[in-house]
Amino acid sequence: MFGELSIPSAEHPADLIDLFGKRDIFFGIDRLRFPEDEQENLERIDFADSVADIWHLFLWREKSGCRNALDAFYEDTIDPLAERVAVCLGKRRKESIPKQIRIFYLMQNWYKSGGGNSRKSHSETKKKLTVVYDDIISLENLLEAWKEFLKGKKNKQDVQVFEARLMDHIFALHEDLENKTYEHGGYQAFKINDPKPRDIHKASVRDRLVHHAIYRILYPFFDTLFIADSYSCRKEKGTHKTLDRFRVFARKISCNDTRTAWVLKCDIRKFFASIDQEILLGILRDRIPDQDILWLLERVMRSFRTLERPGIGLPLGNLTSQLFVNIYMNEFDQFVKHKLKAKYYIRYADDFVIMSRDCEQLEGFLILIRKFLWERLGLCLHPDKVLIKAVASGVDFLGWVHFPDHRVLRGSTKRRMFRMLDERNAYAYLGLLSHGNGYRLREKIERMTLTEGVKPAILVR
């Protein structure tokens, strides 16, 4: 029955090792041409050894660069395996199904659903933006955008200079936008430590006003597309609600700490600096039919460029960048929720967690997550910030170490807090500590910085 196949003859699956250069490549049992009776050869197979971890297949794929060849190998060899493997295991190894089989099924479902290799052909059915270019560049919207931009910046010198001739600047900007002669200016670059070094790029007041005008119109539409458990740079969200949601999920998944719950925690490497502008524009085109809006968004996006990686990266500092990265990562959010069907998933910017009672399921998720991020979005996980561990052992997430019934401040955050502590920021740190188990730390701050007998209201509970 195997005579018509073009795959070389083999007496045992291990004979395929030389074909793929790795002993632990996942291969197709039903596509081998056995010279003897098929069932006899199937009985010789040790599934625990033969069905290897499919992660090595991905390593081989990335290192070899033979993506098309490997896709063909999957379609011709691996894809038809599910039923045959299930039957063989049911007959011979019902008592011990290796975890690699479970990962295989995840991979099969992933490929059958279309994977991350191409965008959906039915993009025309997606919800579309209904506002038009004139809504963004109107004088009314520019003035409202100025009011929002001005908050907390009235004492800045560049803002005062712009405000001195505000209406002249507004009319000139409106005319440039209307005639499509608007050109985004350059950036002032500087570094901050928050707590790790970050490169910030600050646009001119005129350009930042355009950012606010865009944000005011686009944010309400795109916010309706985001999942509920995406918390970064969104109204009525933020870090504190993220922490509370983590606690709710941890209690649910562990049945109030009566069952073992596992967490997959990941961080995307060089997040803002790795955003592919062309991929982002493709996502925006799927949602925005107005070509003039797309022209303006591309103007803003292309204003940031680096010599090392042209067309890659968004500036930390632009208000539009906050919206753009959420639109970009919404592709990943939808994949996790609707393809992986992960119920307990939380993302804050480039940090995300998935909870499950099944550790092996999370291992399978990790493989598919790496694949999707790289092939669909051009992003990589930080190799030192990926882990799977039990919630009961403490999970470091957004500056806090989370346990089933409490959370404590991360050690490095605690040390930085006491290093920078003074009377000006004492109340801010007291507010921070109120969101976790930090009573002793609050007492210590009180002794160090506050006058004897004075107790902030936050301490009186």
Side-chain angles (χ1 to χ4, degrees), residues 108-366:
Q108 188 200 49
N109 292 336
W110 163 235
Y111 269 82
K112 284 183 176 179
S113 66
N117 297 326
S118 62
R119 295 197 55 75
K120 295 295 184 183
S121 60
H122 56 276
S123 60
E124 66 275 4
T125 63
K126 292 182 177 179
K127 184 178 178 182
K128 304 284 186 177
L129 181 71
T130 57
V131 299
V132 295
Y133 184 63
D134 288 342
D135 294 326
I136 294 177
I137 69 169
S138 68
L139 290 172
E140 180 183 4
N141 187 54
L142 291 175
L143 287 170
E144 290 299 321
W146 173 256
K147 292 177 184 177
E148 294 178 3
F149 167 77
L150 196 60
K151 294 176 182 178
K153 304 183 184 71
K154 289 184 178 180
N155 295 327
K156 302 291 184 180
Q157 185 177 358
D158 55 348
V159 175
Q160 291 175 347
V161 171
F162 191 92
E163 191 175 26
R165 299 178 56 196
L166 177 62
M167 292 313 300
D168 290 340
H169 289 303
I170 293 284
F171 279 113
L173 177 59
H174 171 72
E175 184 176 354
D176 284 348
L177 291 169
E178 188 174 41
N179 297 329
K180 297 179 72 174
T181 57
Y182 168 76
E183 293 287 344
H184 196 290
Y187 292 88
Q188 176 188 351
F190 56 94
K191 293 182 180 291
I192 63 170
N193 292 301
D194 184 37
K196 60 184 179 182
R198 298 182 187 275
D199 294 318
I200 305 297
H201 294 83
K202 178 183 175 183
S204 67
V205 173
R206 184 174 188 262
D207 293 329
R208 282 184 282 163
L209 175 57
V210 173
H211 301 167
H212 276 261
I214 293 171
Y215 187 87
R216 291 191 74 254
I217 301 301
L218 297 192
Y219 174 82
F221 167 74
F222 280 102
D223 189 63
T224 63
L225 307 179
F226 301 153
I227 66 170
D229 290 313
S230 166
Y231 287 88
S232 175
C233 303
R234 295 180 64 189
K235 295 177 181 178
E236 300 181 2
K237 298 286 185 177
T239 54
H240 299 320
K241 289 195 175 181
T242 313
L243 299 175
D244 292 341
R245 189 64 165 168
F246 186 100
R247 179 168 54 196
V248 169
F249 277 179
R251 287 176 176 172
K252 282 185 177 180
I253 199 73
S254 67
C255 297
N256 287 328
D257 201 24
T258 61
R259 299 183 63 178
T260 301
W262 299 89
V263 178
L264 167 62
K265 177 183 175 296
C266 301
D267 182 285
I268 297 174
R269 186 176 185 180
K270 296 182 179 179
F271 182 42
F272 274 81
S274 299
I275 301 295
D276 189 308
Q277 295 174 5
E278 197 58 45
I279 294 176
L280 177 57
L281 282 170
I283 297 170
L284 292 171
R285 290 188 189 106
D286 279 351
R287 297 291 186 177
I288 303 175
D290 191 305
Q291 294 302 307
D292 291 335
I293 294 179
L294 289 171
W295 170 85
L296 179 58
L297 296 181
E298 186 169 4
R299 272 279 195 272
V300 173
M301 199 180 305
R302 301 294 193 194
S303 68
F304 181 77
R305 62 186 68 88
T306 59
L307 295 176
E308 298 82 8
R309 302 178 69 193
I312 303 295
L314 293 177
L316 264 172
N318 281 9
L319 179 63
T320 49
S321 294
Q322 298 177 10
L323 177 60
F324 286 158
V325 296
N326 270 338
I327 295 171
Y328 200 76
M329 287 301 292
N330 185 55
E331 299 291 298
F332 176 68
D333 295 338
Q334 300 299 332
F335 163 72
V336 172
K337 297 299 289 186
H338 299 295
K339 298 299 183 183
L340 298 186
K341 300 190 182 299
K343 184 177 181 180
Y344 301 104
Y345 165 72
I346 302 171
R347 183 179 64 82
Y348 187 92
D350 57 341
D351 293 312
F352 61 90
V353 295
I354 302 176
M355 299 185 196
S356 174
R357 296 192 187 103
D358 189 342
C359 182
E360 292 177 1
Q361 181 188 52
L362 295 180
E363 292 175 354
F365 283 173
L366 180 57

Side-chain angles (χ1 to χ4, degrees), residues 16-171:
L16 282 184
I17 294 168
D18 293 336
L19 289 177
F20 300 101
K22 279 197 180 284
R23 183 172 182 78
D24 45 12
I25 287 296
F26 193 112
F27 46 76
I29 299 164
D30 66 336
R31 293 299 182 123
L32 301 177
R33 286 188 287 133
F34 295 111
E36 302 173 6
D37 179 74
E38 177 189 3
Q39 184 60 36
E40 179 182 344
N41 282 277
L42 285 174
E43 290 175 355
R44 292 167 53 193
I45 295 172
D46 184 348
F47 279 89
D49 295 331
S50 300
V51 187
D53 192 333
I54 202 168
W55 171 234
H56 294 285
L57 181 66
F58 283 98
L59 290 179
W60 177 77
R61 174 181 190 170
E62 297 299 327
K63 290 178 181 178
S64 67
C66 302
R67 296 191 177 187
N68 293 336
L70 194 61
D71 285 339
F73 170 63
Y74 181 91
E75 293 175 3
D76 295 340
T77 307
I78 294 180
D79 189 49
L81 274 179
E83 292 184 7
R84 184 176 296 274
V85 169
V87 169
C88 293
L89 286 174
K91 289 180 178 178
R92 301 182 61 251
R93 292 297 179 91
K94 191 173 182 179
E95 70 283 356
S96 60
I97 300 178
K99 71 175 183 179
Q100 290 86 353
I101 293 292
R102 306 186 63 182
I103 295 174
F104 164 74
Y105 281 120
L106 281 169
M107 278 305 306
Q108 188 200 49
N109 292 336
W110 163 235
Y111 269 82
K112 284 183 176 179
S113 66
N117 297 326
S118 62
R119 295 197 55 75
K120 295 295 184 183
S121 60
H122 56 276
S123 60
E124 66 275 4
T125 63
K126 292 182 177 179
K127 184 178 178 182
K128 304 284 186 177
L129 181 71
T130 57
V131 299
V132 295
Y133 184 63
D134 288 342
D135 294 326
I136 294 177
I137 69 169
S138 68
L139 290 172
E140 180 183 4
N141 187 54
L142 291 175
L143 287 170
E144 290 299 321
W146 173 256
K147 292 177 184 177
E148 294 178 3
F149 167 77
L150 196 60
K151 294 176 182 178
K153 304 183 184 71
K154 289 184 178 180
N155 295 327
K156 302 291 184 180
Q157 185 177 358
D158 55 348
V159 175
Q160 291 175 347
V161 171
F162 191 92
E163 191 175 26
R165 299 178 56 196
L166 177 62
M167 292 313 300
D168 290 340
H169 289 303
I170 293 284
F171 279 113

Side-chain angles (χ1 to χ4, degrees), residues 379-427:
L379 300 175
C380 295
L381 297 179
H382 197 298
D384 300 327
K385 298 181 179 180
V386 175
L387 58 87
I388 298 176
K389 65 186 304 186
V391 175
S393 62
V395 179
D396 191 334
F397 183 56
L398 297 185
W400 293 83
V401 180
H402 301 258
F403 295 91
D405 57 350
H406 69 286
R407 56 175 172 253
V408 296
L409 204 62
R410 179 194 295 160
S412 59
T413 306
K414 189 189 309 181
R415 291 188 292 271
R416 185 173 69 255
M417 177 181 70
F418 283 111
R419 186 171 63 249
M420 300 177 64
L421 185 65
D422 58 37
E423 292 185 1
R424 293 172 297 176
N425 59 25
Y427 280 92

